[in-house]
């Protein structure tokens, strides 16, 4: 069988461009015992993929939802099953069965397993409940797309939540649809430091950071004693060639006895069932709402990935292969 795939043609310097990718047609080998033939339905595009763009001549790979088209092991997966796993950017793929997980598609849209019930949702859940641990009436500041879920979890836990985003549209969305108490469009204020002071007059108790850079430098100036900071991404820095020094945050961490913890969601893989159970419960109860940006067409994967760094997504960025 022939498949079209998207290859990393060249390593990007700074911001990736369309020229860093190329399309090629290849012939897939017949599936062997323990393998399945898959037709991807949805691909997740995420900022962390920027760090994987160092080996040219091979397909890009990301988390995907796919349908089983052929299987040698009917006891594990059968034709028509929906599965999730890391897949190459291709219109068809052969994958080992033990690297896939079957998902149910009855309660929520299947694409949710790439978002609120996938890596972003689990990142928000464990970062907020395990690291930030907001108490009722504390002030929590959120930056980045993962924050749509993280901020709602903080609200469920009784905190006051402020979001920092990059457009008036997103600021309006998180306050009116997702229940944030305040929002700041950092691109539309003359002085971010003053804007934070205005909406956080009593300081910041928890900071959920998915952005880094100047935004985080400024937020950390406002932390309270015993503040907790969870770091799950630094999208502002991923395409930087010459990193600026920035402010020195350690004196602030020292004098405020603050806790800073970086984490990857895979640190919690043994607890994924717990996270999925709780997130699903909140969705069913209507306490957790969600939104996605879905781009139609396999050929648009590179464009969708680049759009992440231009802030063109609202919520999780997903490509539907059609």
């Amino acid at each position: 069988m022939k498949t079209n795939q998207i290859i990393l043609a060249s390593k990007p310097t700074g911001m990736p461009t369309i020229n860093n990718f190329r399309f090629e047609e290849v012939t897939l080998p017949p599936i062997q015992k323990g393998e399945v033939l898959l037709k991807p339905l949805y691909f997740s595009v995420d900022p962390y993929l920027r760090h994987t763009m160092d080996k040219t001549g091979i397909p890009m790979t990301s988390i995907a939802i796919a349908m089983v088209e052929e299987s040698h092991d009917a006891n594990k997966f059968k034709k028509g099953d929906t599965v999730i796993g890391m897949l190459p950017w291709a219109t068809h793929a052969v994958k080992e069965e033990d690297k896939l997980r079957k998902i149910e598609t009855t309660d929520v849209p299947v694409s949710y397993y790439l978002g609120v019930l996938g890596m972003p949702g689990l990142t928000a859940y464990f970062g907020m409940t395990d690291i930030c641990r907001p108490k009722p009436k504390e002030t929590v500041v959120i930056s980045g797309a993962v924050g749509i879920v993280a901020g709602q979890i903080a609200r469920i836990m009784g905190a006051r939540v402020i979001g920092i985003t990059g457009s008036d549209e997103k600021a309006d969305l998180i306050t009116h649809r997702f229940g944030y108490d305040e929002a700041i469009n950092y691109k539309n204020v003359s002085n971010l430091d003053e804007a934070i002071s205005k909406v956080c007059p009593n300081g910041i108790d928890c900071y959920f950071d998915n952005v880094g850079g100047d935004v985080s430098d400024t937020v950390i100036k406002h932390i309270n004693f015993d503040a907790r900071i969870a770091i799950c991404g630094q999208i502002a820095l991923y395409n930087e060639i010459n990193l600026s020094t920035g402010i020195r945050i350690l004196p602030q961490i020292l004098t405020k006895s603050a806790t800073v913890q970086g984490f990857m969601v895979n640190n919690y893989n043994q607890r994924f069932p717990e996270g999925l159970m709780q997130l699903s419960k909140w969705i069913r109860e209507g306490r957790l709402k969600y939104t996605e940006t879905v781009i139609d067409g396999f050929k648009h994967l590179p464009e969708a990935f680049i759009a992440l760094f231009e802030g063109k997504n609202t919520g999780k960025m997903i490509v539907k292969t059609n």
Side-chain angles (χ1 to χ4, degrees):
M1 168 180 275
K2 293 187 180 299
T3 184
N4 291 312
Q5 58 185 18
I6 301 174
I7 300 293
L8 181 63
S10 59
K11 297 179 183 179
T13 301
M15 178 77 77
T17 71
I18 292 297
N19 293 331
N20 294 127
F21 305 90
R22 75 167 184 268
F23 291 77
E24 67 176 31
E25 185 178 81
V26 297
T27 300
L28 290 174
I31 65 172
Q32 304 298 314
K33 184 174 175 58
E35 294 180 336
V36 289
L37 175 66
L38 301 171
K39 177 177 175 53
L41 305 175
Y42 295 91
F43 281 97
S44 173
V45 287
D46 301 281
Y48 80 87
L49 294 175
R50 178 62 180 82
H51 291 306
T52 71
M53 301 177 74
D54 58 357
K55 191 172 182 180
T56 60
I58 62 173
M60 291 288 292
T61 303
S62 63
I63 300 173
I65 292 168
M67 180 177 292
V68 175
E69 289 203 337
E70 186 179 345
S71 172
H72 272 315
D73 186 355
N75 291 323
K76 187 164 188 181
F77 298 123
K78 62 182 184 298
K79 184 175 180 179
D81 282 347
T82 304
V83 298
I84 187 169
M86 292 293 294
L87 296 180
W89 286 8
T91 52
H92 285 83
V94 173
K95 190 74 173 179
E96 301 93 332
E97 292 172 319
D98 60 3
K99 294 183 179 177
L100 300 167
R101 175 170 58 89
K102 184 177 178 180
I103 58 175
E104 300 298 334
T105 60
T106 53
D107 294 339
V108 297
V110 65
S111 57
Y112 274 29
Y113 286 91
L114 295 178
V116 65
L117 295 177
M119 182 187 71
L122 291 166
T123 299
Y125 175 78
F126 291 113
M128 190 56 63
T129 62
D130 262 42
I131 300 173
C132 286
R133 307 181 310 281
K135 303 179 183 68
K137 298 184 179 180
E138 284 191 328
T139 296
V140 176
V141 171
I142 311 279
S143 66
V146 171
I148 284 180
V149 178
Q152 292 181 83
I153 294 173
R155 288 284 290 150
I156 289 170
M157 298 174 75
R160 179 173 179 267
V161 180
I162 289 84
I164 300 181
T165 186
S167 73
D168 289 339
E169 178 187 9
K170 291 180 181 179
D172 184 71
L173 180 72
I174 61 177
T175 52
H176 289 90
R177 181 173 176 185
F178 298 121
Y180 281 48
D181 295 279
E182 301 277 357
I184 299 171
N185 175 3
Y186 72 92
K187 294 181 180 178
N188 199 31
V189 293
S190 57
N191 188 313
L192 181 58
D193 189 37
E194 291 180 359
I196 292 173
S197 292
K198 183 176 180 180
V199 298
C200 303
N202 298 317
I204 296 167
D205 301 293
C206 304
Y207 178 40
F208 191 100
D209 182 16
N210 194 35
V211 171
D214 293 339
V215 168
S216 293
D217 288 347
T218 307
V219 170
I220 290 171
K221 290 167 61 177
H222 295 265
I223 60 172
N224 289 331
F225 189 84
D226 193 34
R228 287 83 67 200
I229 301 170
I231 303 174
C232 69
Q234 297 284 280
I235 191 173
L237 308 177
Y238 290 164
N239 295 308
E240 291 294 324
I241 300 172
N242 300 308
L243 293 177
S244 61
T245 302
I247 66 167
R248 311 286 186 180
I249 68 168
L250 293 183
Q252 192 78 345
I253 302 302
L254 172 66
T255 57
K256 297 298 176 64
S257 296
T259 299
V260 182
Q261 183 173 335
F263 74 104
M264 305 293 286
V265 69
N266 286 339
N267 298 354
Y268 293 91
N269 58 7
Q270 298 299 318
R271 293 176 56 194
F272 281 4
E274 167 203 331
L276 290 171
M277 184 180 299
Q278 184 60 72
L279 291 167
S280 298
K281 181 175 183 289
W282 285 331
I283 291 171
R284 289 194 303 271
E285 293 172 346
R287 303 179 74 188
L288 185 58
K289 299 178 176 62
Y290 193 59
T291 189
E292 305 166 316
T293 298
V294 181
I295 306 297
D296 285 324
F298 172 78
K299 66 181 180 180
H300 296 304
L301 266 165
E303 298 166 34
F305 173 62
I306 293 167
L308 285 173
F309 301 100
E310 300 169 344
K312 294 182 178 179
N313 59 304
T314 300
K316 184 76 188 70
M317 179 74 89
I318 294 169
V319 173
K320 183 179 180 181
T321 59
N322 287 343

